[in-house]
Amino acid sequence: MDVANLSGVSKSTVSNVIRGAGRVSDATRRRVLDSIEALGYRPNALARDLVRRRANTVGVMVGDLANTFYAGLVKLLEVEASDAAYTTMVCNTDGELALERARVETLLERAVVGVVLLQFSGDRMVLDALRGAQVPAVVVSCHDERVDCVAVDDRAGMSAAVEHLYDLGHRAIAHVSGHLVEDSTRAARAAGYEAAMRKHGLPPRLLSADDWENGDPGAVRRLHELVSGNAGLTAFAAGNDVMAVRLIDQLEAGGLRVPEDVSVIGFDGIELGAHSRIGLTTISQPREELTTRGLELLLDRVRGGSVAAPPRCVTLEPRLIVRHSTAAPRA
Amino acid sequence: MDVANLSGVSKSTVSNVIRGAGRVSDATRRRVLDSIEALGYRPNALARDLVRRRANTVGVMVGDLANTFYAGLVKLLEVEASDAAYTTMVCNTDGELALERARVETLLERAVVGVVLLQFSGDRMVLDALRGAQVPAVVVSCHDERVDCVAVDDRAGMSAAVEHLYDLGHRAIAHVSGHLVEDSTRAARAAGYEAAMRKHGLPPRLLSADDWENGDPGAVRRLHELVSGNAGLTAFAAGNDVMAVRLIDQLEAGGLRVPEDVSVIGFDGIELGAHSRIGLTTISQPREELTTRGLELLLDRVRGGSVAAPPRCVTLEPRLIVRHSTAAPRA
DNA sequence: GTGAAAGCGCTAACAG
DNA sequence: CTGTTAGCGCTTTCAC
């Protein structure tokens, strides 16, 4: 350590002033600080982390960073983690299990202190790997009883969406979901939809968006058929905002107008939904609260070393935002 | 190393099989691999990186991860870097110089092999720090002669935007920019706008979007005034798509219709622009080519160790995508 | 208040 | 083909 020589002290003293640990006389500290400045010395985080046996980095696993809802969460996480003196390592899984496993492995090799799972597949091996390495994890924005998690009450949220539609006078309401929504979340939202439909004695109709997401040319026609044909659908409760927005696209491509001919409601509350041209009615999630509480749970375990304590679960309430993609059905 | 004991070989042999280096007999390799499997051994990347004196991680600096254009770039970078066996460390700078400097410092302490700068401020200190640490950098999506960079020809792109408007019959065309566009890019696009206007002998009009971005209640009125008042603007060439989309919002909030009353063209080619409700005419950037070429330049230096070689610059051509936010001005 | 010594878990020559 | 030997740059007791 060159700084040590220049300031005429030992490595340990330099280390002490850098870490603000131990007692160092003001005079010595000054000298060391000056040497650091003069030499443009930059501590080596790799060496520090090796001896500490952990990098102060938190891993963030996200299914699709291109989904603006998740990009927003990642950004918040990066900022908040950084405020807590942690760096962030973002991994995109593209919703593929193999990638998810590989990325977790990478994070573990790098000795992250903890990992935040956005859009977690629920895979057991991933959880076991984490637990085996004593690395705490928190699932944010979807539920999992095996780990700490903070999420919105998806079930209640989707029920509220249906109630909103019902109150408007809709009876033939379909639920649209697909691979864009992570499994457990999809199930919870579907359950919320079905419960609300059942409550009103209405038959549930579940649709998958995957065909038109893939650009299937017949999709537009089939969608139109669903509305104008025997099914006579008058409203769609989509699994998330991205799907809702694309659904509107497809519907209008088929000559249907939203909300005049058919209503659409989303879930998440992405910014774009607020655009006047879109005006998406939606069930909004409190993003900042999700990330703040999530990081809180994680860092709590990191600092407390209580990796083994039973999982805690924070459930937040989503909020209905009425805009102009929903209206009373035509007479 | 426990794996060494179990398989009855030395640490180095284990290291050799893991790295696939040196010659190891098949029998030995088998045994080692089995032990690794049995013990659930996971190599410690921190230790490896320490002795190699570099983490095989590339740093990515981004101004605003919530901007879908950049989120898309980051995702592509993460995937491509990962394919090349590098992990990614994403840093959000919020466009603040102090944060940018601090984040680069962090990346340097972690001994990243290189850094990709999206939305680079152009700050000299940042560049010096990088150069001083012998860490190569590449600027992606904006220009900087001091570093490797790959970007679209912003000047030509914006000129093309103006030409498109001109061909449609517009003469009173304003350029709208603001803090959402990073400095050097903003300058290049503004220059392209001015050049095209001058070419046709038209007076340039530069507007800042910052007032209505901040939710200034008077902005809508002022905007309306610009169109219906003496200025008589009939078209806006926005600095990027996000601004264009918000501009449409503001315009319509003031009772103006796009494109009937006024035309708007964007820049970037974000996905949302393709939505039928938005239909934004824009100058599109080839995202995948930006990231692929950018990473190529970076890894080239990383592998070649040619940190000092003169900067290379790749300029890509943007492409006009005509949708329905532009039309001929009213008679 | 400060220093000496012993590693963290791995790689990279260099011997054998 | 495999083992031995030095560290990488830092933290952390434990003496002084």
Side-chain angles (χ1 to χ4, degrees), chain B residues 161-174 197 200 202 232-236 259-265 325-330:
Chain B
V162 172
E163 291 298 338
H164 167 69
L165 259 11
Y166 186 88
D167 290 348
L168 248 20
H170 293 276
R171 295 297 178 268
I173 305 169
M197 292 299 275
H200 293 295
L202 264 21
L233 294 179
T234 65
F236 295 89
E260 294 81 354
D261 297 325
V262 56
S263 287
V264 173
I265 184 168
S325 68
T326 50
R330 279 184 309 182

Side-chain angles (χ1 to χ4, degrees), chain B residues 146-295:
Chain B
R146 299 162 297 176
V147 215
D148 279 354
C149 75
V150 20
V152 122
D153 186 339
D154 290 296
R155 201 188 145 97
M158 191 52 85
S159 285
V162 172
E163 291 298 338
H164 167 69
L165 259 11
Y166 186 88
D167 290 348
L168 248 20
H170 293 276
R171 295 297 178 268
I173 305 169
H175 177 54
V176 180
S177 201
H179 77 280
L180 280 180
V181 185
E182 168 284 323
D183 284 351
S184 72
T185 304
R186 179 163 59 217
R189 293 185 186 169
Y193 161 79
E194 292 192 75
M197 292 299 275
R198 201 169 317 115
K199 172 183 158 195
H200 293 295
L202 264 21
R205 297 162 202 253
L206 275 60
L207 266 36
S208 165
D210 291 344
D211 37 350
W212 64 77
E213 288 292 349
N214 296 334
D216 174 348
V220 169
R221 191 179 32 73
R222 284 201 303 280
L223 214 44
H224 191 279
E225 181 62 25
L226 250 17
V227 174
S228 55
N230 289 331
L233 294 179
T234 65
F236 295 89
N240 70 21
D241 281 355
V242 171
M243 285 178 44
V245 164
R246 297 199 191 154
L247 175 60
I248 290 177
D249 233 3
Q250 299 295 321
L251 254 9
E252 298 195 331
L256 263 8
R257 288 161 310 154
V258 177
E260 294 81 354
D261 297 325
V262 56
S263 287
V264 173
I265 184 168
F267 204 119
D268 279 354
I270 63 179
E271 235 125 76
L272 150 67
H275 192 280
S276 62
R277 289 280 187 99
I278 308 283
L280 185 67
T281 293
T282 192
I283 302 295
S284 160
Q285 302 197 45
R287 290 203 238 183
E288 188 148 358
E289 204 172 345
L290 282 173
T291 56
T292 308
R293 303 293 298 273
L295 216 53

Side-chain angles (χ1 to χ4, degrees), chain A residues 235-269:
Chain A
F236 295 89
N240 69 24
D241 281 353
V242 171
M243 287 177 45
V245 164
R246 296 197 191 156
L247 176 60
I248 290 177
D249 233 1
Q250 300 294 320
L251 255 10
E252 298 195 330
L256 263 8
R257 288 162 309 154
V258 177
E260 294 81 354
D261 299 323
V262 55
S263 287
V264 173
I265 184 169
F267 204 118
D268 278 354

Side-chain angles (χ1 to χ4, degrees), chain A residues 177-180 186 207-216 243:
Chain A
S177 201
H179 77 278
L180 280 180
R186 180 163 59 218
L207 268 34
S208 165
D210 292 344
D211 37 348
W212 65 75
E213 288 291 348
N214 297 333
D216 174 350
M243 287 177 45

Side-chain angles (χ1 to χ4, degrees), chain A residues 1 14 25 72 91 113 144 211 246 252 273 282 291 331:
Chain A
M1 186 169 296
V14 173
S25 70
C91 297
V113 291
D144 196 306
D211 37 348
R246 296 197 191 156
E252 298 195 330
T282 193
T291 56

